[in-house]
């Protein structure tokens, strides 16, 4: 009888422990969902996205650092600052490149004239993460999704990046020959970059070292 009572007691204690654990996990899960919903910073998979509040705050921080440094913006110091922000906010390298582009060129100011003085800062971010060309294109597409009024300048921005050997012609042609990609920003960019793709193809076919860029 003693043994039977002891067994019942053990079962009861185990049941109570399990109920307490389940209740705690449920409470923590609810808290996590509540925080995510309040911030509006997560997508359906629970990851940060480029146009959420968290990333826009990151862009603001980067832009403030750039503005304060002015013409003396050092590439390595800039990278260190961006890396520190990335660690504190825990976002991936794809979003890091988007935030850097948006921070260096606020309010849609990215174009063929504004990029060259700061292209080394962009390349540092790309090279450090060993980013593949499609990742680079996507970050720029997301920038132009944020500032669609500047999208018409994208072909010449690609020309600057191409001249800096950020990507080769085959990578660009392959990316923009797809029917669709990871988001609507790709669909918006694809027709706009067609003049640049035409120029790349003409460059491949031409035996001349100089190809007219006026048509881009």
């Amino acid at each position: 009888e003693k043994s039977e009572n002891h067994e019942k007691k053990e079962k009861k204690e185990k049941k109570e422990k399990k109920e307490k654990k389940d209740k705690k996990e449920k409470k923590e899960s609810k808290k996590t969902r509540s925080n995510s919903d309040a911030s509006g910073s997560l997508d359906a998979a629970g990851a940060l996205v480029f146009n959420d509040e968290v990333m826009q705050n990151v862009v603001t921080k980067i832009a403030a650092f750039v503005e304060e440094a002015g013409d003396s913006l050092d590439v390595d110091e800039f990278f260190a600052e961006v890396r520190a922000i990335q660690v504190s906010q825990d976002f991936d390298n794809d979003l890091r490149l988007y935030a850097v582009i948006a921070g260096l060129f606020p309010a849609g100011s990215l174009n063929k004239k504004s990029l060259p003085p700061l292209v080394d800062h962009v390349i540092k971010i790309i090279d450090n993460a060993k980013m593949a060309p499609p990742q680079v294109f996507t970050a720029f597409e997301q920038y132009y999704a944020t500032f669609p009024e500047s999208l018409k300048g994208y072909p010449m921005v690609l020309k600057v990046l191409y001249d800096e050997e950020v990507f080769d012609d085959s990578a660009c042609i392959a990316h923009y020959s797809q029917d669709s990609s990871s988001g609507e920003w790709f669909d918006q960019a694809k027709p706009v970059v067609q003049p640049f793709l035409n120029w790349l193809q003409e460059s491949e076919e031409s035996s001349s070292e100089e190809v007219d860029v006026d048509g881009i």
Side-chain angles (χ1 to χ4, degrees):
E1 193 179 334
K2 268 187 177 181
S3 174
E4 189 177 338
N5 288 338
H6 182 69
E7 192 175 331
K8 283 181 179 178
K9 188 178 178 183
E10 280 187 341
K11 283 183 178 178
K12 187 180 179 183
E13 286 175 352
K14 282 182 181 177
K15 186 180 178 183
E16 286 175 351
K17 280 183 181 177
K18 186 176 185 303
E19 285 175 352
K20 192 180 280 187
K21 184 182 177 185
D22 289 345
K23 191 175 180 182
K24 184 180 178 184
E25 288 176 350
K26 191 174 180 182
K27 188 177 179 182
E28 288 176 350
S29 176
K30 187 177 179 182
K31 185 179 177 183
T32 301
R33 287 198 306 272
S34 175
N35 288 343
S36 298
D37 293 343
S39 66
S41 62
L42 303 178
D43 67 5
L48 289 169
V49 291
F50 78 94
N51 56 355
D52 64 36
E53 186 179 347
V54 172
M55 289 311 300
Q56 293 310 308
N57 286 338
V58 167
V59 169
T60 300
K61 287 180 182 178
I62 293 173
F65 181 82
V66 171
E67 185 177 6
E68 186 177 346
D71 294 338
S72 62
L73 184 65
D74 178 78
V75 172
D76 292 329
E77 288 178 5
F78 174 70
F79 175 79
E81 177 67 16
V82 170
R83 179 65 184 138
I85 296 172
Q86 181 184 18
V87 169
S88 70
Q89 297 295 327
D90 192 24
F91 51 88
D92 63 25
N93 290 331
D94 290 355
L95 286 176
R96 182 175 73 175
L97 179 57
Y98 161 77
V100 161
I101 299 166
L104 286 171
F105 308 101
S109 58
L110 174 63
N111 55 51
K112 65 179 181 180
K113 292 182 179 177
S114 62
L115 178 56
L118 295 170
V119 72
D120 288 342
H121 299 72
V122 176
I123 291 173
K124 175 77 174 182
I125 300 295
I126 294 169
D127 288 350
N128 172 265
K130 297 180 171 60
M131 298 181 77
Q135 293 174 285
V136 175
F137 299 138
T138 297
F140 279 90
E141 290 159 12
Q142 290 172 341
Y143 172 85
Y144 286 115
T146 309
F147 303 107
E149 67 280 1
S150 301
L151 180 58
K152 61 183 180 295
Y154 188 30
M156 289 307 297
V157 165
L158 285 174
K159 173 68 167 56
V160 173
L161 296 171
Y162 175 74
D163 289 343
E164 293 290 338
E165 300 182 350
V166 171
F167 58 84
D168 61 23
D169 47 8
S170 59
C172 189
I173 292 168
H175 181 74
Y176 286 111
S177 294
Q178 299 176 90
D179 290 333
S180 64
S181 187
S182 56
E184 63 183 37
W185 46 86
F186 170 86
D187 297 326
Q188 292 168 355
K190 182 179 176 179
V192 176
V193 302
Q194 193 57 51
F196 178 68
L197 300 186
N198 294 341
W199 179 83
L200 285 176
Q201 288 164 337
E202 287 172 14
S203 298
E204 277 186 338
E205 294 164 4
S206 175
S207 58
S208 169
E209 291 187 9
E210 292 294 327
V211 180
D212 184 25
V213 298
D214 290 342
I216 298 179

